[in-house]
Amino acid sequence: MDASLINTSAPDTCAVIAAGGLGMRFGDPHGKQYVELCGLPVLCWSIAAFDDSPSVGAIVVVCPRGRVDETRAAVSRLAPATPVVYVSGGATRQESCLAGIRAIPEGYEFAAIHDGARPLIEPETIERVIARVRDDDSIAGAICAHPSADTLKIVEDGVVCSTPERSRYWAVQTPQVFRLDEVLAAHERAASEGFLGTDDSSLVERMGGVVACVESPSDNMKVTVPEDRLPIEAILKQRLAARHTGSMRMVGDAS
């Protein structure tokens, strides 16, 4: 990890891992967050990255209703060093995220909200997004995103209306990091007014909060459909092999 990103002060961020959905498009009735990749459930890989992030002092895992004990058992295979709180989610992702934000222990300034089905996130990216918010008092939060690599079309009734300038469009990912008081207020207001946003950032933007964009790797993919499993598992295997090779090299150098 880049030394400039390492947080040398006390952890100031709590991660909220949104894993309360059913993942209907994935087609597994058990839930895509529990599907195994390289020996661990999808959810555990997301938690592992935040467990390794110096700025993160606690993790809230939002579980499907009635499955808190099952989720706790799955995560116990990872044995994270960071304290983990489990809470039941709601009927929508937005309701689940609000439940997770409300469950954040006292003493944290920032909330890092992440999709439990996005297992390829890495600690360095997490730290960069947190640092972007921590270092700029003028913004309410920052999101991970990647510039669109595809040409985009505006389409109505199956007919192309226009081709917008691609450079202005970014594909949004997670984590999304916010000042805790601002994202809580944004969620509370949306809930009271019956407003459903497309992501957490849209709720903060709706209240006038400025949200920055931090470029993240394009491989920070989300498990959505069965076809996503193969490329994501391949990347995980490459990373695990690289770590093993690095460990072996260090042992050899020390001898």
Side-chain angles (χ1 to χ4, degrees), residues 111-190:
I113 304 172
H114 185 67
D115 298 322
R118 204 177 285 272
L120 295 176
I121 188 62
E122 294 192 280
E124 183 165 356
T125 301
I126 294 169
E127 290 295 321
R128 284 198 294 115
V129 184
I130 294 172
R132 180 68 180 87
V133 185
R134 181 191 293 127
D135 296 341
D136 189 346
D137 292 338
S138 70
I139 63 175
I143 62 173
C144 280
H146 191 78
S148 175
D150 299 318
T151 295
L152 302 175
K153 302 287 185 179
I154 304 297
V155 178
E156 292 183 7
D157 298 324
V159 177
V160 174
C161 298
S162 63
T163 303
E165 173 53 50
R166 185 177 63 188
S167 64
R168 299 185 61 191
Y169 289 85
W170 290 56
V172 178
Q173 304 171 347
T174 63
Q176 298 188 354
V177 179
F178 306 96
R179 300 186 188 282
L180 178 53
D181 57 346
E182 297 200 41
V183 72
L184 177 58
H187 264 276
E188 296 278 13
R189 179 173 172 179

Side-chain angles (χ1 to χ4, degrees), residues 66-80:
R67 301 179 70 178
V68 170
D69 290 343
E70 179 185 354
T71 306
R72 183 183 287 109
V75 175
S76 69
R77 296 170 56 185
L78 177 66

Side-chain angles (χ1 to χ4, degrees), residues 74-97:
V75 175
S76 69
R77 296 170 56 185
L78 177 66
T82 307
V84 180
V85 176
Y86 298 88
V87 62
S88 291
T92 65
R93 183 188 185 278
Q94 188 167 306
E95 289 180 8
S96 293
C97 286

Side-chain angles (χ1 to χ4, degrees), residues 195-249:
F195 176 81
L196 184 62
T198 55
D199 64 353
D200 302 284
S201 178
S202 66
L203 305 185
V204 174
E205 296 163 32
R206 179 171 177 259
M207 288 187 63
V210 177
V211 179
C213 189
V214 175
E215 184 169 354
S216 53
S218 59
D219 67 5
N220 182 22
M221 296 181 288
K222 185 178 180 181
V223 179
T224 303
V225 294
E227 301 91 275
D228 296 330
R229 182 173 181 173
L230 186 61
I232 290 176
E233 194 160 35
I235 294 171
L236 280 174
K237 288 179 179 178
Q238 290 176 349
R239 291 181 181 178
L240 290 171
R243 290 171 189 171
H244 177 72
T245 301
S247 298
M248 295 298 290
R249 184 178 297 114

